[in-house]
Amino acid sequence: MPGIQSTFLAMDTEEGVEVVWNELLFTDKKAFKAHEEKIKTMFEQLVLVDHPNIVKLHKYWLDVKDLKARVIFITEYVSSGSLKQFLKKTKKNHKAMNARAWKRWCTQILSALSFLHSCEPPIIHGNLTSDTIFIQHNGLIKIGSGRNLLLRS
């Protein structure tokens, strides 16, 4: 999906929890209009995805004005950041992760991917990297980045 993505930490005042406000900007309104129904369908399906190892997409909406269009979507906030950030911190502290932790993380990632691929239609992540894998303080892994999740029909 083309676009420029911005993310902001925000507060859900109804639920009283931190969330992530994501904006996907389309600089070409005509291109957006050509794919608008596909974009809506994709986000409608992603809102329904519910798995403990996948970052939850709470809400989305389209904002179409003047020459620009954007998709705004609200996702769960994972407090400890990306796996990449976590590994950089542990490397600075000269600590290596043991094999048991790596196995637990890999099992959680594979569980999330298996779930996505078993959806109807299947969902392909499209950009699984240490920047799109997140870790919580309790060691729970979540894959995210709604921008790169693709529905396959």
Side-chain angles (χ1 to χ4, degrees):
M1 186 173 2
I4 301 163
Q5 185 170 1
S6 299
T7 58
F8 308 93
L9 184 60
M11 177 61 80
D12 179 338
T13 55
E14 289 178 14
E15 298 295 325
V17 296
E18 290 179 308
V19 294
V20 179
W21 171 289
N22 301 273
E23 293 184 9
L24 186 55
L25 177 65
F26 292 80
T27 53
D28 183 354
K29 189 175 175 181
K30 284 185 180 180
F32 175 81
K33 282 293 192 185
H35 299 287
E36 186 173 359
E37 284 308 312
K38 187 176 182 178
I39 292 167
K40 282 182 185 178
T41 300
M42 181 184 74
F43 276 93
E44 286 297 324
Q45 290 294 321
L46 293 175
V47 166
L48 300 175
V49 171
D50 188 20
H51 188 278
N53 300 114
I54 299 173
V55 174
K56 179 70 179 149
L57 173 63
H58 295 295
K59 273 185 173 178
Y60 84 95
W61 61 94
L62 308 179
D63 180 28
V64 183
K65 293 180 184 171
D66 303 320
L67 299 174
K68 295 179 183 175
R70 64 185 177 153
V71 179
I72 299 166
F73 56 101
I74 307 298
T75 60
E76 156 186 25
Y77 173 59
V78 183
S79 59
S80 293
S82 72
L83 186 59
K84 183 177 187 176
Q85 293 167 327
F86 179 82
L87 293 173
K88 276 186 180 178
K89 282 185 224 171
T90 57
K91 186 177 181 182
K92 277 185 184 176
N93 295 331
H94 305 289
K95 294 184 180 176
M97 297 305 300
N98 68 31
R100 202 169 102 228
W102 279 105
K103 285 179 189 176
R104 190 172 61 246
W105 292 348
C106 290
T107 300
Q108 292 177 60
I109 293 165
L110 291 172
S111 174
L113 291 174
S114 177
F115 176 84
L116 289 173
H117 295 177
S118 68
C119 289
E120 192 54 47
I123 300 172
I124 309 300
H125 189 281
N127 186 26
L128 191 63
T129 68
S130 59
D131 285 319
T132 60
I133 299 169
F134 301 93
I135 185 165
Q136 289 185 318
H137 66 281
N138 60 0
L140 184 68
I141 292 287
K142 292 187 176 252
I143 64 173
S145 191
R147 177 180 178 194
N148 297 304
L149 295 176
L150 307 168
L151 297 175
R152 295 288 182 206
S153 47

